[in-house]
Amino acid sequence: MERHTDGIHHITAFVMNAQKNVDFYAGVLGLRLVKKTINFDAPEVYHLYFGNEAGNPGTIITFFPYEGRKGRIGGGQVGITTYVVPLGALDFWKERLISFHVSYSLKTRFGENYLTFSDPDGLQLEIVEREEGDLSHWSFGGVSIDKAIKGFGGAVLYSTVPEKTMNVLEQVLGLQKVEQEEDFIRYKSKGSIGNVIDVNIAAMGWGISGAGTVHHIAWRAKDNEDHASWRTHVEQHGLHPTPIIDRQYFNAIYFREKGGILFEIATDPPGFAVDEQPDVLGEKLMLPEWFESNRAEIEKNLPPIQVRELESFKP
Ligand code: ZN
């Protein structure tokens, strides 16, 4: 049966320092911290989720901040995470990055202009203007709604075997190849956000997982029933998905595609309002039921963090 994903659900990366992470993604980029929880596989580490006002699929970047080893961006990873802003907003973002001492460069790909920069840990980010995608209704720290990041424009994939990765994008995820230029092949999914995936055509040597690198990219499934079909579908293509895992805000399966990138497929529901009210998302440390009895100890081991408006920022 023909299947296709609407696009990126979320992207998850490693960083060193939790407060710096909050300051950059909330304070500089103006995203909303929509969930403050822990790594369910390592409860001494935060799991922080940033997105639009509701943390809709296609807008969510998530982090595990801990003082571990630094990674190296390379093959088998999402190389660049792309954010999309409304038409005409790029000049605002140039000024904003300058005011926070974040250096950037300008690049062009497939006729679009990209503002390219790094987060404090070296994660590669870029901002592009597009008409597609709903406006975020979250305004923070001097970023008005007409300039705010709408969510992901997409991502640039760095593969160790690009033709195999592209095969998975087409045959398994149902993305359409739309354009090709010298260094990149462009794929599109059906959704209006998180829907443009560029693959670096040159095979790249393996990156090293660690701070400043993306751990995985998750693709959208409509609901639990659709998700179960995705699992079967992935398995039928000779990939090896994990069992379905309850991630509290979505269900997940993971598999490594043959170019080395860790893919996840995640359900749109239930979303971030499943355990707190939409107007106070991200304010309290939320724990899944099975960790609640250890709350005091867990809280004691986590560094305090604060979402705050910034006067200045030291990258
Ligand atoms: Zn994930």
Side-chain angles (χ1 to χ4, degrees):
M1 198 190 78
E2 197 75 357
R3 296 195 69 80
H4 67 84
T5 179
D6 281 344
I8 301 172
H9 183 285
H10 65 269
I11 289 176
T12 294
F14 294 118
V15 291
M16 291 272 190
N17 182 278
Q19 184 61 53
K20 219 166 200 188
N21 184 239
V22 173
D23 281 344
F24 189 78
Y25 287 88
V28 176
L29 296 186
L31 299 172
R32 185 179 191 185
L33 175 66
V34 290
K35 194 63 65 181
K36 181 164 64 174
T37 183
I38 54 171
N39 181 343
F40 298 167
D41 303 322
E44 68 284 2
V45 174
Y46 275 119
H47 194 183
L48 304 177
Y49 292 74
F50 301 87
N52 68 355
E53 75 283 2
N56 293 128
T59 77
I60 315 152
I61 191 159
T62 97
F63 296 97
F64 297 119
Y66 72 97
E67 308 282 335
R69 70 172 179 185
K70 183 137 182 52
R72 192 180 69 211
I73 295 170
Q77 293 176 3
V78 170
I80 309 172
T81 297
T82 310
Y83 277 117
V84 67
V85 297
L87 295 181
L90 215 58
D91 284 339
F92 165 84
W93 283 99
K94 273 184 214 168
E95 293 303 317
R96 187 168 177 88
L97 292 181
I98 291 169
S99 72
F100 285 115
H101 308 287
V102 178
S103 57
Y104 67 84
S105 58
L106 290 167
K107 291 201 173 129
T108 304
R109 218 166 54 242
F110 297 104
E112 294 182 302
N113 295 320
Y114 290 83
L115 198 57
T116 304
F117 55 100
S118 299
D119 87 348
D121 289 281
L123 209 73
Q124 289 190 286
L125 304 171
E126 58 185 16
I127 292 178
V128 65
E129 292 179 354
R130 276 182 207 144
E131 197 166 346
E132 288 179 292
D134 296 335
L135 291 182
S136 174
H137 290 96
W138 185 251
S139 176
F140 183 76
V143 183
S144 57
I145 283 165
D146 62 322
K147 305 286 193 290
I149 287 173
K150 295 190 277 190
F152 295 125
V156 181
L157 306 185
Y158 289 176
S159 174
T160 64
V161 195
E163 49 285 13
K164 287 192 176 171
T165 299
M166 292 190 271
N167 204 32
V168 172
L169 295 181
E170 284 177 48
Q171 305 298 320
V172 181
L173 298 178
L175 270 52
Q176 298 281 325
K177 181 175 166 176
V178 289
E179 253 182 297
Q180 172 157 5
E181 58 181 35
E182 202 183 332
D183 298 326
F184 300 96
I185 293 182
R186 171 157 288 192
Y187 286 86
K188 270 196 179 176
S189 65
K190 301 238 189 244
S192 61
I193 208 156
N195 58 334
V196 178
I197 306 299
D198 291 342
V199 180
N200 195 60
I201 293 172
M204 296 181 72
W206 285 96
I208 298 171
S209 185
T213 67
V214 170
H215 180 253
H216 65 264
I217 181 168
W219 309 96
R220 295 174 65 178
K222 284 177 186 53
D223 53 30
N224 289 353
E225 195 188 340
D226 183 44
H227 195 238
S229 308
W230 271 110
R231 194 181 177 285
T232 309
H233 176 76
V234 167
E235 213 164 28
Q236 282 166 350
H237 280 81
L239 297 158
H240 304 283
T242 62
I244 292 170
I245 301 170
D246 178 0
R247 292 302 190 196
Q248 182 80 355
Y249 309 106
F250 44 84
N251 277 357
I253 58 168
Y254 304 84
F255 60 96
R256 201 169 289 282
E257 57 83 23
K258 289 178 177 165
I261 306 166
L262 185 60
F263 280 2
E264 174 184 344
I265 295 176
T267 54
D268 282 3
F272 297 104
V274 71
D275 59 358
E276 52 186 345
Q277 291 302 311
D279 57 329
V280 295
L281 288 179
E283 292 180 12
K284 263 185 64 186
L285 179 72
M286 301 310 295
L287 299 175
E289 211 177 43
W290 62 92
F291 277 120
E292 232 5 287
S293 58
N294 298 336
R295 175 177 280 274
E297 205 194 326
I298 288 168
E299 284 185 340
K300 201 178 69 191
N301 287 329
L302 292 167
I305 52 172
Q306 192 193 357
V307 175
R308 54 192 182 182
E309 304 219 0
L310 301 178
E311 300 275 302
S312 64
F313 180 75
K314 257 214 257 130

